[in-house]
């Protein structure tokens, strides 16, 4: 909402600096987003009057004008041939700052010789003053403009650009904002008194109004003015509308818009001759009814929408936009003026369904008071009579099925302390509320007030609302600062919170960079990596790239790999912890939290010490082992297969009997679809909830032996297909074995075809004695026997 | 004999002084102190001496032996030290070569900020609670005093779930505020909770708008909680997050689920309140929205608003590192460019 300061001054006297006033409005809830000052550069420009006009001796398209500027006269060269003696114009003396008509830059006015004639000063166009883009003519000031007065004093203004919150439709009006200012300045507001002579015939015989659907229209008021002359509005009105961001149209329409801006009540003027039967019916539109709105678009209505109809057809979409057929145009002579109140929900739905938001609909959908219709209608009628002449019919039609009692609140003053933590004097409360328009009456006790809410404050209906009124006017700085002193609630900590952060820290320690991806992804990307049948689709995605809620974190990470491979020479290791979503019929989707890590590229950055190996499956597995090991878990890895992953390079991660995730390399086909570099992409995925359940089963402490440890190496030959982990498991079954480390894997000439050699370093230790050579020998023999029995292993010679 | 011993001593010491390496030294040892060495053979010859000379010669010979052994040891130690110095000299390295990389990851700046925020409130007794990202319209709007077709809904552009019937009851939560309702439905006061999480807005993205971001919601409900407690709590938060010298203020603002509603701002980092581009010439930077829990919201969860009061607040998370590090584009956060992430 844009509010010119000059307009505010009609209702309140403002003597404080503008910045201070803006600060008060901002602090009390109506934020001033900006202040546009006109005339701040108008030094050495004043109101001048043309006293003589002569032709230019050397040019047909120029004139010489003599201008009286109060303290002297000056002759200037002028390109506007329409100027006449007596015109009041903005006159710039030498040294004035003017907008250059061609370049638009602010330049200082210098004496100039134009076609041989010296020009000392200038009669300015609106563009030169920075008021508009109009440059073809000299700006004409009102005939009563005082000659010699600085133009800034005469025309200068400041326009406040206000951010009005949705609860305050009253502040979508100049008077509403003036009320706020008045309360801050502790002033009574000067209210306009709309009165006019009713010289026409009684309205009853001319106009009838019927509200067929009172649930959608609480009140409908109408006046009738006959014999109007349509024309442009006077400059002052046009300037005000323009300052508020509205386009002037003609005197009737401008008057309705002016009053809407002033009171916050949208009005509509019909060409009365186009209202069939002189009858207004406020009714739901019938299915498929069509109306051409003022913007020339054919609108198809339905019974959810409220129409203003005459005896036959709709003439307006109630509260949204008028119809083209009954528009006030140049030949209009009779105007039916509507000031009505419509159901905010209905207006909001209609304007949203028709994708048609108007200044009127914005105000109606916020729920203005039906009490506003009458004063606004009177004001508009008065203004039209003034601007367009004619005679107002006697009386006003007022159909008011939705009248309600004024809201009253029984306000216990202790609510102030209860909500704000500080007290206010009863007198202070009454005073502040009174300036805001609330009427306070003594109720049954001295701590209780009967507060009548003014009709325009549709947002106030309970004690807490009144407390806010008080707080915002005294200012929140007045409220003390205290720390919570109440009882601490019983602590019920969700274990996943600490667990998740521990995982994050561990992965960072393992060299993984945390990323956070969007929860939405495209069908194509999700499908390419994981089954999509249970994916949740958005009704209004921003793009097809973000059409589905993700069912996996994998595509997001693969996509990031692609983005970053362009700039990163070193290997990339990312992890993300986030939710995936699976549809569950009509219920909310299932949300499951996953940790996914991804690693691809050189294992170490290319370096002077040389290691050109690439990150692969075992890097991902190593990270999983490190992280889970640190959490006290011993994962087992079972060969598995899964769509989108490299067949033969996939392992399910098991904790005991529970699968908690997968470690793998990404299928090269998938990697290619993501346009990744041709190198292994290792990935691991853990489900947080299952992992957390396993983490709860942390093992018991194992005593640390005081006796010496013996280490022996053992190399065995097994079938290529035998998993190394089986051998480790068997060796570990022996109680004296404390550690088994695979340190060599060999396949080649030294071993038979189809076999592999695995060398293990085995550590033996007893908790209660020093092991003898003999004991070690026999345990090792038993190990070999068991390996031979179970896996057909032989000792490598 | 004594003369002979004296000469041996002089000769041996003279030779020893000229030795400059360990192998020469070993030869010297063999020559004088070895089993077949000069001193040994002298000692062996002692038996042939008359008994009266034998004792003094023997004593002298032993003295010389002890002397030579001591000198040998001293020389050896010296030579070994010299040799080590030579070896060390030869194995000098270029210390300017880069170290072997120890790849360390980093946390996402959002995670770091969330931890910082949570730590501050946890220290004030707030408990962390989480909830679903896909919500019912009821929790996201209706129960928060934002009925259908209320113009305040324009404050939260919403992603809806697709349904065959066109039903619009499920959405991606537009703020963390639905957690206020979920929590109050499950527990009774006193409540002191902090509810972080992802939220979504159906908005075209630009430097200051994202379709997904993080919020942290706070809620405290009990008997006797007032706006001065809210002010104390949030000002303390601002002091700890932004530093001692930062000023904070409340101004009136509107959120349908609080009454009175406020916005908290801190004085601008850049211009210290004088007015600049960052703060839109106001001198103040908006940090969060807050207020006293609306009586209708309390009533909705069967808390008697005549008994209980409470405050709630909600803040955007990314805004904090944006202000702190001068990040001018919110899209950098979830674009995950390593060149950006590596800076935190």
């Amino acid at each position: 909402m844009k509010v010119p300061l000059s307009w505010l001054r009609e209702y309140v006297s403002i003597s404080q600096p503008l910045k201070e006033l803006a600060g008060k409005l901002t602090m009390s809830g109506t934020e001033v987003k900006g202040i546009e000052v006109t005339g701040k550069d108008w030094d050495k420009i004043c109101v001048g009057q043309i006293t003589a006009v002569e032709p230019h001796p050397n040019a047909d398209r120029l004139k010489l004008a003599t201008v009286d500027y109060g303290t002297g006269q000056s002759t200037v060269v002028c390109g506007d041939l329409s100027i006449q003696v007596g015109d009041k114009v903005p006159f710039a003396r030498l040294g004035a700052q003017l907008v250059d008509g061609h370049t638009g830059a602010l330049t200082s006015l210098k004496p100039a010789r134009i076609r041989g004639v010296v020009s000392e000063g200038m009669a300015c166009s609106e563009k030169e003053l920075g008021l508009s883009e109009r440059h073809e003519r000299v700006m004409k000031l009102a005939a009563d403009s005082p000659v010699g007065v600085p133009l800034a004093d005469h025309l200068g203004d400041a326009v406040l650009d206000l951010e009005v919150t949705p609860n305050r439709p009253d502040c979508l009006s100049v008077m509403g904002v003036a009320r706020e200012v008045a309360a801050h300045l502790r002033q009574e507001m000067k209210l306009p008194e709309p009165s006019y002579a009713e010289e026409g015939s009684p309205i009853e015989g001319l106009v009838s109004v019927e509200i067929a659907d009172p649930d959608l229209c609480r009140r409908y008021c109408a006046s009738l003015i006959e014999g109007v002359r349509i024309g442009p509005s006077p400059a002052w009105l046009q300037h005000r509308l323009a300052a508020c961001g509205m386009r002037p149209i003609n005197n009737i329409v401008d008057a309705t818009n002016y009053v809407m801006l002033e009171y916050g009540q949208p009005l509509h003027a019909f060409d009365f001759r186009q209202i069939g039967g002189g009858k207004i019916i406020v009714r739901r539109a019938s299915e498929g009814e069509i109306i051409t709105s003022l913007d020339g678009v054919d609108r198809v209505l339905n019974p959810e929408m409220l129409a203003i109809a005459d005896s036959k057809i709709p003439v307006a979409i109630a509260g949204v936009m008028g119809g083209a057929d009954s528009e006030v145009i140049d030949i209009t002579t009779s105007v039916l003026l509507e000031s009505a109140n419509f159901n905010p929900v209905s207006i909001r739905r209609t304007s949203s369904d028709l994708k048609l938001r108007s200044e009127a609909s914005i105000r109606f959908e916020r729920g203005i008071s039906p009490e506003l219709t009458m004063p606004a209608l009177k004001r508009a009628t008065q203004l039209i009579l003034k601007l367009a002449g004619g005679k107002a019919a006697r009386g006003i039609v007022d159909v008011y099925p939705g009248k309600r009692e004024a809201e009253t609140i029984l306000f216990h003053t202790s609510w102030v302390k209860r909500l704000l933590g500080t007290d206010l004097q009863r007198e202070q409360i009454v005073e502040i509320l009174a300036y805001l328009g609330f009427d306070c009456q003594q109720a049954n006790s001295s701590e209780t007030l009967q507060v009548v809410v003014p009709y325009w404050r549709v947002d106030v209906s309970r004690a807490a609302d009144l407390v806010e009124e008080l707080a915002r006017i005294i200012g929140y700085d007045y409220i003390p600062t205290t720390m919570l002193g109440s009882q601490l609630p019983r602590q019920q900590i969700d274990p996943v919170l600490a667990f998740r952060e521990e995982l994050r820290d561990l992965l960072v320690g393992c060299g993984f960079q945390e990323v956070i991806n969007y929860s939405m992804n495209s069908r194509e990307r999700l499908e390419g990596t994981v089954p999509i049948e249970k994916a949740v689709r958005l009704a209004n995605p921003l793009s097809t790239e973000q059409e589905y809620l993700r069912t996996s974190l994998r595509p997001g990470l693969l996509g990031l790999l692609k983005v970053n491979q362009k700039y990163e020479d070193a290997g990339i290791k990312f992890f993300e912890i986030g939710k995936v979503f699976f549809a569950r019929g009509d219920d909310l989707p299932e949300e499951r939290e996953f940790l996914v890590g991804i690693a691809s590229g050189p294992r170490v950055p290319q370096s002077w010490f040389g290691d050109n190996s690439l990150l692969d499956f075992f890097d991902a597995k190593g990270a999983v082992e490190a992280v889970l090991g640190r959490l006290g878990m011993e994962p087992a890895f079972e060969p598995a297969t899964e769509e989108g992953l490299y067949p033969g390079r996939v392992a399910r991660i098991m904790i005991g009997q529970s699968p908690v995730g997968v470690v793998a390399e990404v299928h090269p086909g998938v990697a290619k679809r993501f346009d990744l570099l041709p190198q292994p992409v290792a990935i691991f995925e853990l489900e947080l909830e299952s992992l957390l359940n396993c983490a709860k089963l942390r093992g018991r402490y194992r005593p640390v032996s005081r006796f010496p440890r013996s280490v022996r190496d053992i190399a065995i030959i097994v079938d290529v297909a035998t998993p190394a982990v089986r051998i480790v498991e068997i060796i570990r079954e022996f109680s004296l074995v404390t550690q088994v480390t695979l340190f060599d894997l060999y396949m080649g000439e030294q071993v038979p075809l189809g076999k592999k050699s695995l060398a293990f370093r085995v550590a033996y230790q007893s908790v209660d004695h020093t092991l003898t050579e003999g004991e070690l020998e026999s345990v090792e023999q038993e190990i070999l026997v068991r390996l031979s029995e179970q896996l057909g292993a032989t000792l490598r010679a | 004999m004594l003369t002979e011993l004296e000469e041996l001593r002089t000769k041996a010491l003279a030779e020893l002084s000229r030795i400059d390496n360990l192998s020469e030294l070993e030869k010297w040892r063999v020559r004088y102190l070895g089993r077949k060495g000069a001193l040994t053979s002298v000692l062996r010859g002692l038996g042939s001496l008359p008994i009266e000379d034998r004792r003094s010669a023997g004593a002298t010979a032993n003295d010389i032996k002890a002397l030579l052994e001591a000198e040998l040891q001293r020389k050896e130690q010296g030579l070994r030290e010299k040799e080590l110095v030579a070896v060390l000299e030869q194995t000098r390295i270029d210390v300017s070569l880069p170290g072997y990389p120890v790849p360390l990851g980093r946390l996402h700046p959002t995670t770091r900020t969330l931890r910082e925020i949570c730590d501050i409130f946890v220290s004030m007794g707030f408990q962390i609670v989480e909830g679903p990202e896909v919500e019912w319209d009821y929790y996201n709007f209706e129960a928060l005093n934002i009925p259908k077709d209320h113009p305040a809904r324009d404050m939260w552009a919403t992603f809806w779930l697709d349904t065959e019937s066109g039903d619009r009851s499920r959405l991606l939560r537009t703020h963390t505020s639905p957690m206020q309702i979920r929590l109050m439905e499950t527990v009774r006061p006193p409540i002191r909770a902090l509810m972080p999480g992802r939220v979504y807005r159906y908005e075209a993205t630009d430097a200051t708008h994202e379709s997904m971001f993080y919020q942290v919601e706070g809620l405290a409900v009990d008997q006797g909680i007032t706006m001065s407690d809210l002010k104390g709590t949030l000002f303390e938060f601002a002091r700890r997050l932004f530093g001692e010298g930062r000023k904070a203020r409340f101004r009136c603002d509107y959120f349908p689920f609080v009454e009175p509603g406020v916005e908290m701002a801190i004085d601008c980092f850049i211009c210290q309140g004088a007015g600049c581009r960052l703060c839109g010439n106001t001198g103040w930077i908006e940090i969060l929205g807050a207020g006293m829990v609306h009586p209708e919201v309390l009533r909705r969860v069967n808390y008697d608003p005549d008994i209980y009061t409470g405050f709630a607040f909600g803040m955007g998370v990314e805004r904090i590192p944006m202000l702190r590090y001068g990040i001018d584009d919110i899209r950098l956060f979830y674009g995950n460019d390593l060149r950006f992430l590596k800076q935190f």
Side-chain angles (χ1 to χ4, degrees):
Chain A
M1 176 76 194
K2 288 186 169 174
V3 177
L5 188 63
S6 58
W7 201 345
L8 275 181
R9 285 199 159 116
E10 291 188 4
Y11 317 106
V12 275
S13 54
I14 297 166
S15 52
Q16 32 280 115
L18 191 53
K19 229 184 150 173
E20 196 182 306
L21 183 73
K24 285 214 153 119
L25 285 171
T26 295
M27 293 301 278
S28 61
T30 311
E31 189 182 358
V32 179
K33 285 186 294 182
I35 303 173
E36 199 183 306
V37 179
T38 50
K40 62 177 185 293
D41 299 319
W42 293 348
D43 196 22
K44 296 187 175 163
I45 305 176
C46 62
V47 176
Q49 186 167 25
I50 312 282
T51 53
V53 180
E54 286 165 38
H56 191 288
N58 307 322
D60 292 346
R61 308 198 61 79
L62 294 173
K63 292 213 167 186
L64 294 182
T66 306
V67 183
D68 173 9
Y69 55 87
T71 52
Q73 294 217 348
S74 205
T75 301
V76 299
V77 177
C78 179
D80 179 357
L81 301 179
S82 72
I83 53 163
Q84 289 175 8
V85 171
D87 283 352
K88 302 267 179 80
V89 296
F91 178 72
R93 283 177 292 143
L94 297 180
Q97 297 287 314
L98 294 177
V99 176
D100 187 294
H102 302 289
T103 65
L106 209 59
T107 44
S108 179
L109 184 64
K110 296 185 185 70
R113 181 180 288 271
I114 301 167
R115 295 281 184 116
V117 176
V118 175
S119 187
E120 291 182 323
M122 188 186 276
C124 307
S125 70
E126 290 187 9
K127 180 164 186 179
E128 281 158 338
L129 294 171
L131 288 174
S132 78
E133 282 302 299
R134 244 173 282 166
H135 189 48
E136 61 279 8
R137 293 210 186 291
V138 166
M139 184 179 178
K140 305 286 180 345
L141 300 175
D144 57 356
S145 306
V147 173
V149 167
L151 191 69
D153 294 351
H154 184 59
L155 270 191
D157 202 352
V159 178
L160 302 176
D161 189 1
L162 303 171
E163 174 89 44
V164 176
T165 54
N167 59 326
R168 294 296 303 274
D170 60 310
C171 283
L172 288 175
S173 73
V174 181
M175 273 169 65
V177 176
R179 268 191 209 104
E180 292 285 297
V181 173
H184 282 301
L185 304 180
R186 306 286 195 275
Q187 276 183 27
E188 294 285 346
M189 225 176 101
K190 287 169 276 181
L191 288 169
E193 279 175 27
S195 63
Y196 52 88
E198 296 177 347
E199 295 172 328
S201 336
I203 197 164
E204 288 83 13
L206 302 166
V207 181
S208 74
V209 172
E210 179 199 337
I211 299 178
D213 290 299
D215 56 325
L216 300 186
C217 178
R218 285 174 65 188
R219 189 178 192 185
Y220 197 103
C221 299
S223 68
L224 180 70
I225 307 127
E226 292 182 291
V228 293
R229 286 177 312 279
I230 311 298
S233 314
W236 66 268
L237 204 165
Q238 294 202 17
H239 279 133
R240 278 212 170 149
L241 291 181
C244 295
M246 293 195 81
R247 200 163 46 89
I249 293 168
N250 60 40
N251 47 8
I252 307 293
V253 175
D254 292 355
T256 60
N257 283 335
Y258 184 85
V259 174
M260 175 182 72
L261 291 172
E262 189 178 33
Y263 280 74
Q265 167 70 46
L267 300 120
H268 185 67
F270 295 98
D271 183 335
F272 185 54
R273 288 214 200 126
Q274 305 302 323
I275 304 298
K279 190 171 175 59
I280 290 287
I281 306 169
V282 185
R283 60 160 169 89
R284 283 182 160 82
S286 43
E287 188 66 54
E289 229 172 348
I290 291 176
I291 180 172
T292 308
S293 50
L294 278 173
D295 53 7
V297 180
D298 285 346
R299 312 274 177 182
V300 182
L301 308 181
N302 64 48
E304 295 280 291
M305 300 171 176
L306 189 69
I308 309 297
D310 63 8
S311 50
K312 295 191 189 87
I313 54 159
V315 291
I317 309 161
V320 178
M321 195 172 270
D325 292 344
S326 56
E327 185 182 2
V328 172
I329 50 175
D330 290 351
I331 55 164
T332 301
T333 55
S334 279
V335 169
L336 179 73
L337 204 51
E338 164 200 291
S339 180
N341 187 275
F342 302 114
N343 180 305
V345 170
S346 155
I347 297 295
R348 187 173 161 82
R349 283 194 190 152
T350 303
S351 86
S352 133
D353 288 352
L354 295 176
K355 297 192 171 48
L356 184 58
R357 295 198 91 195
S358 61
E359 291 286 336
S361 75
I362 287 168
R363 286 171 174 80
F364 281 125
E365 69 173 31
R366 296 186 187 203
I368 48 178
S369 166
E371 288 298 309
L372 197 53
T373 54
M374 192 57 92
L377 181 65
K378 286 184 177 168
R379 173 70 163 158
T381 309
Q382 176 195 40
L383 196 56
I384 287 173
L385 290 170
K386 194 173 137 195
L387 301 176
K391 287 180 180 174
R394 206 159 351 117
I396 279 176
V397 178
D398 183 6
V399 184
Y400 196 173
K403 190 171 174 64
R404 280 178 219 153
E405 286 297 306
E407 184 92 42
T408 37
I409 302 168
L410 195 62
F411 183 60
H412 203 280
T413 53
S414 66
W415 267 82
V416 176
K417 172 107 185 176
R418 216 175 151 246
L419 284 181
L420 301 183
T422 186
D423 263 326
L424 282 178
Q425 295 293 318
R426 192 190 139 88
E427 296 70 42
Q428 234 179 328
I429 293 172
V430 172
E431 191 203 355
I432 292 171
L433 290 178
Y435 277 116
L436 286 165
F438 294 84
D439 183 26
C440 299
Q441 303 292 328
Q442 170 81 43
N444 37 20
S445 82
S446 63
E447 284 85 42
T448 320
L449 293 167
Q450 187 82 28
V451 181
V452 182
V453 180
Y455 69 82
W456 59 86
R457 289 305 302 273
V458 291
D459 59 314
V460 176
S461 62
R462 54 181 75 73
D465 301 336
L466 292 176
V467 173
E468 177 171 86
E469 291 306 299
L470 298 167
R472 67 189 191 87
I473 298 299
I474 53 168
Y476 289 91
D477 292 345
Y478 180 79
I479 295 169
T481 54
T482 53
M483 294 306 282
L484 280 171
S486 61
Q487 190 196 341
L488 267 186
R490 177 195 177 92
Q491 299 280 308
Q492 281 163 317
I493 310 288
D494 183 352
V496 81
L497 297 167
F499 185 64
R500 191 192 291 138
E501 297 314 313
E502 196 174 1
L503 284 172
R504 283 200 170 106
D505 285 337
L506 286 171
L507 279 155
V508 163
C510 290
F512 284 77
Q513 164 72 50
E514 188 188 20
V515 297
I516 298 177
N517 265 306
Y518 295 96
S519 306
M520 296 81 98
N521 215 322
S522 70
R523 181 184 184 93
E524 189 196 352
R525 286 222 152 159
L526 289 168
E527 249 175 357
T529 40
V530 284
I532 197 180
E533 60 269 23
K534 288 183 79 184
V536 177
R537 194 180 167 276
L538 296 179
N540 55 338
L542 283 172
S543 66
T544 50
E545 278 79 55
Q546 300 203 330
E547 193 179 355
Y548 284 85
L549 292 182
R550 59 184 177 183
T551 50
S552 164
L553 305 190
R554 291 181 206 170
L557 285 164
L558 289 169
L560 282 190
L561 208 52
K562 165 68 191 161
V563 170
N564 283 286
Q565 276 179 343
K566 277 186 284 189
Y567 307 107
E568 191 63 40
D569 301 325
I572 294 176
K573 295 203 272 184
F574 282 143
F575 81 95
E576 177 173 16
I577 296 179
K579 283 178 173 176
V580 302
F581 305 81
F582 298 103
R584 261 193 316 208
D586 290 337
D587 204 348
L588 291 182
E590 181 187 11
E591 300 186 12
R592 284 161 69 193
E593 198 168 15
F594 279 88
L595 158 61
V596 176
I598 195 165
S600 186
R603 186 163 288 128
V604 291
Q606 191 174 32
S607 186
W608 54 277
F609 55 85
D611 172 355
N612 300 324
S613 59
L614 292 172
L615 292 162
D616 62 21
F617 176 89
F618 294 104
D619 293 276
K621 185 176 174 183
V624 171
E625 287 170 324
V627 169
L628 298 191
R630 178 68 181 66
L631 294 168
M633 290 183 255
E634 285 184 21
F637 296 85
E638 290 176 356
T641 51
E642 207 177 300
E643 197 183 321
L645 300 178
Y646 196 131
R649 296 191 182 178
V650 184
R652 185 150 325 286
I653 306 168
M654 304 291 294
I655 308 289
Q657 296 304 306
S658 318
V660 294
V662 69
V663 57
E665 276 179 29
V666 171
H667 196 293
V670 172
K672 201 173 172 193
R673 228 171 298 145
F674 278 85
D675 201 15
L676 300 177
L677 295 177
Q679 59 198 11
V681 179
I683 194 162
F684 62 88
E685 184 173 78
L686 293 161
E687 210 218 326
L688 252 64
E689 201 186 320
S690 0
L691 198 58
L692 179 61
N693 290 336
C694 297
K696 287 176 191 156
L697 311 168
R698 284 187 188 191
R700 288 178 63 84
Y701 138 91
R702 268 195 294 259
V704 178
S705 172
R706 291 182 292 114
F707 296 93
R709 187 175 85 122
S710 302
V711 176
R712 294 168 78 102
D713 290 349
I714 174 172
I716 56 157
I717 294 173
V718 290
D719 286 345
V720 167
T722 307
V725 70
R726 284 293 300 131
I727 302 167
V728 174
E729 281 165 5
I730 290 169
I731 301 175
R732 278 193 161 171
E733 288 168 5
F734 292 83
S735 62
L736 288 178
V737 172
T738 55
Q739 204 178 354
V740 186
T741 313
L742 174 69
F743 69 89
D744 188 46
L745 166 66
Y746 177 78
M747 280 177 283
E749 292 170 14
Q750 310 285 318
V751 296
L753 199 63
K755 301 276 183 188
K756 62 183 172 186
S757 157
L758 296 162
F760 296 91
R761 177 150 296 171
V762 184
Y764 304 86
Q765 198 172 19
S766 160
V767 287
D768 49 22
H769 67 286
T770 302
L771 295 176
T772 63
E773 269 306 302
E775 273 179 289
L776 289 170
E777 274 305 329
S778 67
V779 176
E780 198 175 272
Q781 275 312 312
E782 282 177 50
I783 289 174
L784 285 171
V785 168
R786 206 175 288 178
L787 287 175
S788 157
E789 282 171 3
Q790 296 193 9
L791 303 175
T794 55
L795 188 66
R796 186 174 175 194
Chain B
M1 189 62 161
L2 283 175
T3 325
E4 201 182 324
L5 277 169
E6 200 50 44
E7 279 171 9
L8 181 73
R9 187 181 74 110
T10 312
K11 189 172 170 229
L13 289 177
E15 277 178 24
L16 183 66
S17 71
R18 285 193 297 271
I19 287 173
D20 65 353
N21 66 63
L22 285 168
S23 60
E24 285 299 312
L25 186 67
E26 176 60 11
K27 284 181 197 155
W28 180 88
R29 188 191 65 80
V30 171
R31 197 151 66 239
Y32 290 101
L33 295 169
R35 272 188 296 153
K36 291 176 185 167
L39 199 57
T40 319
S41 49
V42 170
L43 288 170
R44 249 187 230 123
L46 280 180
S48 60
L49 286 182
I51 195 105
E52 60 274 23
D53 293 344
R54 202 181 289 165
R55 179 172 294 171
S56 64
T60 307
N62 275 333
D63 284 351
I64 290 173
K65 187 178 180 199
L67 174 73
L68 292 186
E69 277 174 345
E71 285 300 310
L72 169 71
Q73 205 183 340
R74 206 162 56 88
K75 186 76 183 185
E76 187 180 348
Q77 201 182 333
L79 286 176
R80 285 205 187 280
E81 271 169 24
K82 231 172 103 187
E83 197 168 71
L84 180 63
V85 167
V87 168
L88 294 183
E89 186 54 39
Q90 281 158 22
T91 53
R92 188 177 270 280
I93 58 166
D94 176 1
V95 296
S96 76
L97 285 173
Y100 301 133
V102 178
L104 267 182
R106 285 179 170 78
L107 290 172
H108 193 279
T110 299
T111 302
R112 288 170 56 114
T113 313
L114 275 167
R115 282 188 179 181
E116 224 178 318
I117 295 169
C118 291
D119 282 352
I120 295 172
F121 284 106
V122 165
S123 76
M124 291 195 261
F126 286 75
Q127 288 183 50
I128 296 172
V129 183
E130 295 179 326
E133 291 174 22
V134 182
E135 261 298 1
W136 296 108
D137 180 280
Y138 177 79
Y139 287 108
N140 197 77
F141 290 128
E142 202 84 27
L144 289 166
N145 215 13
I146 316 163
K148 283 200 174 57
D149 300 301
H150 192 283
R153 286 210 177 190
D154 290 348
M155 294 160 78
W156 299 275
T158 309
F159 283 111
W160 301 94
L161 293 206
D162 189 31
T163 50
E164 275 173 32
S165 62
D167 154 71
R168 292 280 174 274
S169 62
R170 291 172 297 167
L171 47 82
L172 301 192
R173 65 175 174 190
T174 59
H175 47 182
T176 39
S177 309
M179 282 307 296
Q180 292 185 29
I181 307 296
R182 284 187 175 270
L183 183 62
M184 287 192 282
E185 277 185 353
T186 49
V187 297
R188 298 294 301 173
I191 287 176
R192 232 185 257 194
L194 197 70
M195 298 159 286
R198 283 186 192 205
V199 301
Y200 304 85
R201 297 279 169 90
Y202 175 63
E203 263 172 21
T205 56
D206 62 27
T208 53
H209 296 88
E210 250 299 6
S211 54
M212 179 190 94
F213 54 97
Y214 280 75
Q215 273 191 347
V216 173
E217 190 86 5
L219 178 71
V221 184
D222 200 358
Q223 296 184 32
I225 290 182
T226 70
M227 184 166 265
S228 71
D229 296 327
L230 172 64
K231 208 172 152 185
T233 303
L234 291 181
F235 280 28
E236 170 65 7
F237 165 73
R239 185 186 71 84
R240 286 182 54 187
L241 193 70
F242 298 108
E244 209 65 56
R246 210 78 280 146
K247 280 188 288 212
R249 77 164 194 201
F250 272 10
R251 61 167 281 264
C252 180
D253 204 351
Y254 168 68
F255 307 97
F257 39 97
V258 286
E259 187 77 25
V262 295
E263 166 209 284
M264 184 175 83
I266 53 166
D267 62 334
C268 180
F269 292 50
I270 306 292
C271 62
Q272 312 299 331
C276 67
R277 239 187 75 204
L278 178 71
C279 58
N281 266 319
T282 61
W284 295 92
I285 293 174
E286 188 188 320
I287 296 296
L288 54 82
M292 301 304 292
V293 180
H294 199 288
E296 292 306 318
V297 172
L298 292 176
R299 208 164 277 140
R300 185 76 77 153
V301 294
N302 293 319
Y303 286 14
D304 185 346
D306 287 328
I307 298 174
Y308 295 109
T309 54
F311 65 65
F313 57 85
M315 73 183 93
V317 173
E318 294 80 1
R319 194 164 164 69
I320 290 160
M322 286 180 84
L323 290 169
R324 236 189 227 167
Y325 304 112
I327 301 166
D328 54 8
D329 193 334
I330 194 173
R331 289 168 295 191
L332 287 166
F333 283 81
Y334 309 118
N336 293 304
D337 188 320
L338 265 173
R339 294 169 297 173
F340 172 74
L341 296 177
K342 274 181 173 174
Q343 297 180 38
F344 301 96

